[in-house]
Amino acid sequence: MASSPPMVDPAIFSHIRIVLSMVVSLGIARLLSGVARFVQHPGRKRAYGVHLLWVVSLLLSMMHFWWWEFSLSHLQVWRFETYVFVVGYAALYYLLCAVLFPDDLAEYTGYRDYFMSRRRWFFALLATAYLVDVADTWIKGQEHLAAQGYEYAVRTAAYVVLCVVASLTTNARFHVAFAVLSLTYQISWILRVYDVIGK
């Protein structure tokens, strides 16, 4: 008779999940406080549609990150380097939030000016997050990685290439198209692949 797989102590992941929740909460709080500035001081700095689309996309990503990382609860053994990697992944999202909403915009005429001047930082971090996600998916097991299918590999490669292009160009049409298509696809991916925990 085949032996059943060993049980995972839920307290282990709960302990790690506390640290992840702290980092994710800081990122979400940064985005929400940044959006609140537009309500509090609507005339102080001009908003930029592309910037706002990436804010919505990143807010959704942060919430979704917390959702899909539940799959880590199935890990039988946690090593310190795995823990550091996962926390580092969460920290990447916080850095993206900090780039979208800096502490001070005194040097810029508005969010369009700021976003374009810092686009290389933003899209470099975003591309890195997509690459790190591959390692994060692999950590959850070969079966989990294989279950993502061919689309996952194409999606990751396409995002990295588009992030490189976005970091190099200031073409307004490209940035609008990238932001709109990215958010649309992101919602589609969530609804099709990660809408239920424990699949």
Side-chain angles (χ1 to χ4, degrees):
M1 178 182 293
S3 60
S4 60
M7 296 294 292
V8 182
D9 183 353
I12 296 175
F13 184 62
S14 295
H15 178 71
I16 292 165
R17 203 165 157 84
I18 290 170
V19 179
L20 289 182
S21 68
M22 290 167 55
V23 180
V24 170
S25 297
L26 286 171
I28 291 176
R30 183 121 191 175
L31 291 181
L32 294 178
S33 64
V35 171
R37 291 178 206 164
F38 294 124
V39 178
Q40 296 167 345
H41 310 286
R44 182 171 294 179
K45 291 293 181 181
R46 285 183 293 176
Y48 176 42
V50 170
H51 172 263
L52 288 176
L53 284 170
W54 284 115
V55 169
V56 173
S57 179
L58 196 54
L59 180 60
L60 185 58
S61 292
M62 295 286 285
M63 292 188 295
H64 198 222
F65 171 84
W66 186 237
W67 179 261
W68 80 60
E69 287 300 80
F70 184 78
S71 296
L72 290 171
S73 63
H74 301 301
L75 286 186
Q76 300 292 332
V77 176
W78 273 90
R79 299 182 61 86
F80 182 71
E81 52 266 36
T82 306
Y83 162 72
V84 170
F85 172 82
V86 173
V87 173
Y89 186 16
L92 261 178
Y93 278 109
Y94 175 78
L95 289 174
L96 280 162
C97 296
V99 170
L100 282 179
F101 283 112
D103 293 327
D104 185 12
L105 277 177
E107 303 172 36
Y108 306 96
T109 58
Y111 277 94
R112 186 187 190 286
D113 180 31
Y114 170 76
F115 183 79
M116 285 301 171
S117 71
R118 289 293 174 266
R119 69 186 187 282
R120 292 186 178 180
W121 274 101
F122 178 75
F123 289 111
L125 288 169
L126 187 61
T128 301
Y130 279 107
L131 292 173
V132 169
D133 183 68
V134 176
D136 180 75
T137 304
W138 175 79
I139 284 173
K140 294 166 186 168
Q142 291 290 344
E143 289 184 6
H144 183 79
L145 179 60
Q148 306 309 304
Y150 177 73
E151 182 184 355
Y152 178 69
V154 174
R155 163 187 174 269
T156 302
Y159 264 112
V160 170
V161 170
L162 288 169
C163 282
V164 170
V165 175
S167 71
L168 298 174
T169 184
T170 57
N171 184 280
R173 289 183 179 180
F174 175 85
H175 279 281
V176 170
F178 185 22
V180 170
L181 290 174
S182 177
L183 182 57
T184 303
Y185 179 78
Q186 181 183 7
I187 294 170
S188 168
W189 176 261
I190 291 171
L191 295 178
R192 290 182 297 109
V193 182
Y194 275 112
D195 61 325
V196 176
I197 289 180
K199 275 187 175 182

